[in-house]
């Protein structure tokens, strides 16, 4: 037998350890969420928020959550049912890992990320950090759902067919992915940062004076700057999906310089944000069209505040361009399926490599 043949490598043990940790983490997430919902059903209200169901202006206190006697279905028994379904997926991933279980895990990941609506976090967390009163219970719940979505994405990756390691070195992404990446960088700058920056400075760009007064009354200067600057700076990270530093850590990064960037570390966040942007854009456009249809919004009002209306298309275009870029990155860095072992026809002489 040739050296090393038949003995698991160190990478094999590392992959095995990671494969064991992911299901445990997913199970812990599901158990925590189900336990919290059962606690709410029993009458407890720690961590529960009613800010989307009451008129009370107390985001830090859950908007009167302790006054809610009947828990909404999807916050209680509906969530418990979803938790049971997720637990079944985790169990199947441990006992019967295959393509079907991987597909179910990807669907669970997508569901959790859609419900979490990460785009809300992208704007609310910076605003909260600058001192704006925020519903921390809601933000914590959304962050937990995002974590659950990431964990189930890892479960899906571990449940699928085994693949060889990703190709070594930098793998150029398709040219079309580069074009979409530049669009994903430009859209939040031109379509978001420029108009919001002008509004913070007191310039009624694409909106009426009344809308400008409402914006400046609702937002402090610090919050306005945070909301204006975070999206374009976050958009710059998209360049990593088409540049070398998105696949290999730069040499100047301590302890990581030159090492390969974990593929899911780039694909999952990009996919999450793209999904959130597209979802928000589609829903917002649908509401916008419905308001025009019912007469709640006139074309004169649309023209007067054209900058806010155009923002809806910016979100949709930003999400699509980011999603296409992430797809190009995923294709370029996709691990290869291991080759099937060659079988010798009956009566033939096996090669030296097969005999060793």
């Amino acid at each position: 037998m040739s050296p090393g043949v038949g003995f698991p490598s160190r990478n094999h043990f590392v992959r095995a350890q990671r494969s064991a940790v992911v299901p445990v983490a997913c199970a812990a997430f599901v158990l925590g969420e189900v336990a919290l919902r059962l606690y709410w059903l029993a009458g407890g209200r720690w961590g529960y928020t009613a800010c989307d169901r009451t008129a009370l202006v107390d985001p830090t206190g859950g908007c009167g959550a302790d006054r809610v006697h009947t828990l909404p279905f999807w916050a209680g028994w509906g969530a418990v049912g979803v938790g049971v379904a997720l637990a079944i997926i985790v169990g199947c991933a441990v006992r019967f890992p295959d393509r079907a279980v991987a597909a179910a895990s990807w669907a669970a990941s997508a569901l959790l990320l859609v419900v979490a609506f990460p785009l809300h976090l992208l704007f609310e967390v910076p605003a909260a950090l600058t001192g704006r009163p925020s519903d921390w219970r809601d933000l914590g719940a959304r962050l937990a759902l995002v974590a659950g979505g990431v964990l189930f994405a890892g479960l899906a990756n571990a449940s699928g067919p085994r693949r060889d390691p990703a190709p070594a070195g930098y793998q150029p992404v398709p040219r079309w992915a580069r074009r979409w990446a530049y669009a994903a960088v430009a859209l939040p700058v031109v379509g978001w940062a420029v108009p919001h920056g002008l509004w913070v400075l007191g310039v009624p760009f694409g909106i009426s004076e009344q809308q400008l007064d409402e914006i400046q009354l609702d937002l402090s200067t610090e919050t306005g700057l945070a909301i204006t600057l975070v999206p374009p700076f976050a958009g710059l990270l998209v360049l990593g999906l088409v540049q070398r530093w998105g696949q290999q850590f730069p040499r100047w990064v301590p302890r990581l310089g030159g090492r390969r960037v974990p593929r899911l570390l780039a694909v999952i966040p990009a996919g999450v944000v793209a999904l959130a942007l597209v979802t928000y854009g589609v829903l917002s456009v649908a509401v916008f069209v419905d308001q025009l249809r019912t007469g709640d919004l006139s074309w004169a009002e649309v023209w007067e505040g054209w900058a806010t209306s155009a923002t809806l298309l910016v979100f949709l275009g930003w999400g699509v361009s980011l999603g296409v870029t992430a797809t190009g990155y995923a294709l370029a860095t996709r691990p290869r399926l291991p080759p099937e072992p060659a079988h010798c026809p009956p009566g033939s002489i096996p090669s030296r490599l097969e005999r060793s």
Side-chain angles (χ1 to χ4, degrees):
M1 181 180 292
S2 61
V5 176
F7 295 95
S9 64
R10 181 177 181 274
N11 290 335
H12 173 81
F13 287 114
V14 172
R15 288 196 298 269
Q17 290 175 352
R18 290 176 180 174
S19 299
V21 169
V22 172
V24 173
C26 289
F29 164 76
V30 173
L31 181 61
E33 287 289 334
V34 171
L36 182 61
R37 308 302 168 143
L38 292 175
Y39 167 74
W40 291 348
L41 288 167
R45 290 296 179 264
W46 179 86
Y48 179 71
T49 180
C51 287
D52 58 341
R53 285 175 290 277
T54 67
L56 298 178
V57 184
D58 179 26
T60 57
C63 300
D66 55 341
R67 304 183 189 181
V68 178
H69 301 292
T70 303
L71 204 65
F73 175 77
W74 285 112
W77 289 115
V80 171
V82 173
V84 171
L86 294 178
I88 293 174
I89 293 175
V90 175
C92 291
V94 174
R95 296 294 301 274
F96 316 106
D98 57 11
R99 292 182 184 273
V101 175
S105 301
W106 281 120
S109 174
L111 173 65
L112 292 171
L113 294 174
V114 168
V115 173
F117 197 58
L119 187 62
H120 182 79
L121 298 173
L122 185 62
F123 298 106
E124 287 298 324
V125 170
L129 293 176
T130 57
R132 182 183 180 183
S134 300
D135 186 0
W136 285 104
R137 303 183 186 193
D138 176 68
L139 295 179
R142 292 177 187 274
L143 288 172
L145 291 175
V146 169
V150 172
L151 287 174
F152 271 86
L155 183 66
N157 185 66
S159 302
R162 185 180 66 85
R163 295 179 179 272
D164 287 340
Y170 171 66
Q171 302 298 317
V173 299
R175 183 174 299 178
W176 51 264
R178 291 180 177 274
R179 298 194 183 101
W180 283 99
Y182 299 146
V185 172
L187 278 171
V189 174
V190 178
W192 179 267
V194 170
H196 281 75
L198 292 174
W199 298 341
V200 170
L201 295 174
V203 180
F205 176 75
I207 59 175
S208 64
E209 292 285 353
Q210 180 181 356
Q211 289 176 307
L212 180 63
D213 293 338
E214 293 175 353
I215 291 174
Q216 293 188 328
L217 182 64
D218 185 56
L219 298 178
S220 64
T221 302
E222 294 79 8
T223 302
L225 288 174
I227 293 177
T228 300
L229 297 178
V230 167
F233 277 113
L236 290 176
L237 296 177
V238 180
L239 292 176
L241 298 175
V242 296
Q243 300 290 339
R244 181 180 296 274
W245 56 270
Q247 297 184 28
Q248 292 178 323
F249 289 105
R251 295 289 180 183
W252 51 265
V253 178
R255 302 185 64 179
L256 295 176
R259 295 187 178 183
R260 187 166 189 84
V261 175
R263 182 170 177 266
L264 294 182
L265 183 62
V267 174
I268 291 180
V272 169
V273 176
L275 182 63
L277 289 168
V278 171
T279 302
Y280 178 79
V282 170
L283 294 177
S284 299
V285 170
V287 171
F288 176 78
V289 172
D290 185 66
Q291 288 178 334
L292 287 175
R293 183 183 60 82
T294 59
D296 294 336
L297 184 67
S298 66
W299 282 106
E301 293 173 322
V302 172
W303 176 251
E304 186 179 22
W306 63 266
T308 56
S309 302
T311 302
L312 307 180
L313 298 178
V314 169
F315 281 118
L316 185 58
W318 187 11
V320 171
S321 57
L322 175 57
V324 175
T325 305
T327 301
Y329 177 92
L331 292 175
T333 60
R334 183 179 178 84
R336 307 294 187 254
L337 286 171
E340 296 184 0
H343 298 283
C344 297
S348 62
I349 300 176
S351 66
R352 182 184 305 174
L353 179 61
E354 291 171 335
R355 293 196 303 266
S356 62

